[in-house]
Amino acid sequence: MSLRKAYFLIFLVLIVDQLSKIYVKTNFVLGEEFVIADWFRIHFIENEGMAWGTKIPGEYGKLILTVFRIFAVVGIGWWLSDSVKKRHSNYLIAAIALIFAGAAGNIIDSVFYGVIFDDSTHNLATIFSPVPYGTWFHGLVVDMFYFPIWEGELPSWLPLFGGKHFAFFNAIFNVADVAISTGVGILLVFNKRAFPKH
């Protein structure tokens, strides 16, 4: 795969990711949900940028996470460029491009959203607001895809979790997360093709 094709894939993922996030952010109040099917909903949440809302504690936790991600994306970008120059497998190049695009998509939220949007807690957010909700590098990542395939009480005979409420699949994610997961999935499932032995 050429670098141009890899760039096009990255650009496509970033456009879809950002358009979907901006649409949700400006059309949903935080916590609002649109039910498409019992097992598929658009549910607007924001998080500090890690899976399941996990965050690094402390005053500088969010800044540390954002800066780390920027360095990681630079490293992934170098890996992509190097892989194209060395004519590595298309599986590897596509996977790296997807991981790069997903990471970059969430970094855009973290770096810019705090200064271009106002708060979504009680009102629809407006873009380029004169009263932004945060500062540079402290934006919240927009998530919206929710697939509660099964939700209910677990049987009481189960050890540890018996009788407790459980939802599968309870993660809420975005297009950037899908791109990262797909890229990692390609590396795992097509490992021998992504890293052929010469």
Side-chain angles (χ1 to χ4, degrees):
M1 179 183 285
S2 68
L3 201 55
R4 180 178 291 181
K5 289 180 180 176
Y7 284 156
F8 177 75
L9 178 59
I10 291 166
F11 176 75
L12 189 65
V13 170
L14 285 174
I15 288 294
V16 174
D17 177 61
Q18 289 302 308
L19 287 178
S20 63
K21 287 172 176 174
I22 291 168
Y23 176 81
V24 167
K25 185 112 173 100
T26 56
N27 287 276
F28 287 72
V29 175
L30 192 66
E32 188 176 351
E33 181 175 89
F34 178 73
V35 178
I36 296 170
D38 286 344
W39 52 271
F40 177 30
R41 305 171 191 180
I42 303 298
H43 185 96
F44 173 34
I45 64 164
E46 293 177 310
N47 70 59
E48 297 215 9
M50 290 179 19
W52 284 278
T54 308
K55 59 183 180 181
I56 299 172
E59 184 181 350
Y60 299 103
K62 174 64 178 176
L63 180 62
I64 291 167
L65 176 62
T66 303
V67 171
F68 170 78
R69 283 183 157 169
I70 290 169
F71 279 109
V73 163
V74 170
I76 296 167
W78 175 86
W79 186 23
L80 175 63
S81 176
D82 186 62
S83 296
V84 170
K85 284 178 187 173
K86 292 178 178 175
R87 298 177 183 266
H88 283 235
S89 161
N90 286 341
Y91 287 90
L92 177 63
I93 294 168
I96 299 169
L98 286 168
I99 294 168
F100 179 93
N106 285 335
I107 285 173
I108 290 170
D109 297 29
S110 295
V111 173
F112 300 107
Y113 276 25
V115 294
I116 64 172
F117 286 106
D118 52 11
D119 187 50
S120 298
T121 306
H122 303 294
N123 304 293
L124 295 178
T126 53
I127 194 166
F128 303 119
S129 169
V131 186
Y133 74 81
T135 57
W136 292 98
F137 296 91
H138 288 84
L140 300 172
V141 175
V142 174
D143 290 325
M144 76 285 291
F145 298 125
Y146 180 37
F147 292 87
I149 295 169
W150 183 86
E151 189 171 359
E153 302 297 320
L154 292 174
S156 58
W157 51 263
L158 275 176
L160 299 176
F161 303 105
K164 294 184 179 176
H165 185 78
F166 180 76
F168 177 85
F169 173 72
N170 69 345
I172 302 175
F173 53 96
N174 56 42
V175 173
D177 298 330
V178 172
I180 293 169
S181 299
T182 304
V184 172
I186 290 170
L187 294 180
L188 293 174
V189 175
F190 300 102
N191 185 270
K192 290 181 180 177
R193 294 184 183 183
F195 303 100
K197 293 179 181 178
H198 297 288

